[in-house]
Amino acid sequence: MERKIAKLLAFTGVAISAAMALTPLTSYAIVNQHGYNCDPSNPSTLTNADGWGIGNDTTGGCASQTSGAKPVTLNVESQISLDAVSGTIINVTPHVLGTGEISATVSSSHPYTISLSSGQPNLTNTTNGALNIPAKSSFTKDDNAWGIKKQDASDYSAITTAPVVYYTSTTPASSATSKFEVGVAVNEQTAPGTYQTDVIVTAAIKQ
């Protein structure tokens, strides 16, 4: 008779981090060659040495003016947001690879990256913290291990405490969803119970 050991893999409390970048843009405002707010075709009347109203000024108040260009510099913020993230629950039995997926939906005005990390890479038993399923790369269905596939990868990678890029976009996106396959393997040495960890999803403007 087959003995089933029920396992629950739950990603909870997914944290969101967004990186912002500044893109400097420069435009130029051309200065009237006759000076600010003056028109030679519309003579004004001088009032005093530096005003209006005394006699006619046939230059329209434009005497002794110079021409030139003044730079106007502005910063436009690159916009990026994680619109949604979702975890997974996986029930597994010994020697049968259990799979699920986590996903991240990103909106970005520039190409971007999605990185994954965890403050506790191992899946830990919720009732006995000494028991865990280690984060590993390139494991088999007979191991006691778990991992996440990077985009377009054929094998699993071990998640780490430092953010690692799992997906890189080549274009801006409007609510684009990226999915990452999660794999879990257990054997007879894996104690039954519920194992879990938090996965941190980080979206950042591609540098």
Side-chain angles (χ1 to χ4, degrees), residues 103-174:
S103 66
T105 301
V106 176
S107 295
S108 176
S109 59
H110 287 73
Y112 60 93
T113 61
I114 296 177
S115 299
L116 304 181
S117 61
S118 177
Q120 174 51 55
N122 294 337
L123 296 172
T124 303
N125 190 296
T126 56
T127 58
N128 184 348
L131 302 175
N132 62 70
I133 301 174
K136 291 183 179 180
S137 299
S138 304
F139 54 87
T140 72
K141 62 183 176 59
D142 300 317
D143 289 327
N144 177 52
W146 82 287
I148 302 176
K149 285 185 179 179
K150 296 181 179 179
Q151 193 79 13
D152 301 323
S154 59
D155 210 345
Y156 296 101
S157 295
I159 198 166
T160 64
T161 55
V164 173
V165 174
Y166 274 63
Y167 173 73
T168 300
S169 79
T170 57
T171 60
S174 176

Side-chain angles (χ1 to χ4, degrees), residues 4 9 20 42 63 81 86 101 111 114 128 156 161 176 194 201:
K4 294 184 178 180
L9 169 60
M20 305 295 288
N42 184 22
S81 65
S86 64
E101 68 179 23
I114 296 177
N128 184 348
Y156 296 101
T161 55
T194 300
V201 181

Side-chain angles (χ1 to χ4, degrees), residues 15-206:
I16 297 175
S17 175
M20 305 295 288
L22 296 180
T23 304
L25 300 178
T26 302
S27 61
Y28 292 90
I30 303 302
V31 176
N32 187 333
Q33 63 178 346
H34 301 292
Y36 173 75
N37 199 27
C38 65
D39 182 0
S41 64
N42 184 22
S44 58
T45 302
L46 298 177
T47 55
N48 50 46
D50 51 7
W52 303 95
I54 302 177
N56 290 328
D57 178 1
T58 57
T59 65
C62 302
S64 303
Q65 301 297 329
T66 60
S67 62
K70 299 294 184 183
V72 177
T73 302
L74 59 144
N75 287 326
V76 178
E77 291 186 349
S78 298
Q79 300 297 322
I80 186 169
S81 65
L82 270 172
D83 300 329
V85 290
S86 64
T88 188
I89 297 174
I90 304 173
N91 292 312
V92 293
T93 57
H95 309 294
V96 177
L97 184 67
T99 61
E101 68 179 23
I102 61 175
S103 66
T105 301
V106 176
S107 295
S108 176
S109 59
H110 287 73
Y112 60 93
T113 61
I114 296 177
S115 299
L116 304 181
S117 61
S118 177
Q120 174 51 55
N122 294 337
L123 296 172
T124 303
N125 190 296
T126 56
T127 58
N128 184 348
L131 302 175
N132 62 70
I133 301 174
K136 291 183 179 180
S137 299
S138 304
F139 54 87
T140 72
K141 62 183 176 59
D142 300 317
D143 289 327
N144 177 52
W146 82 287
I148 302 176
K149 285 185 179 179
K150 296 181 179 179
Q151 193 79 13
D152 301 323
S154 59
D155 210 345
Y156 296 101
S157 295
I159 198 166
T160 64
T161 55
V164 173
V165 174
Y166 274 63
Y167 173 73
T168 300
S169 79
T170 57
T171 60
S174 176
S175 295
T177 300
S178 298
K179 297 180 180 180
F180 307 96
E181 182 179 316
V182 179
V184 185
V186 298
N187 53 40
E188 286 81 5
Q189 283 70 50
T190 309
T194 300
Y195 295 76
Q196 71 177 35
T197 193
D198 294 339
V199 172
I200 301 170
V201 181
T202 304
I205 294 294
K206 183 180 176 182

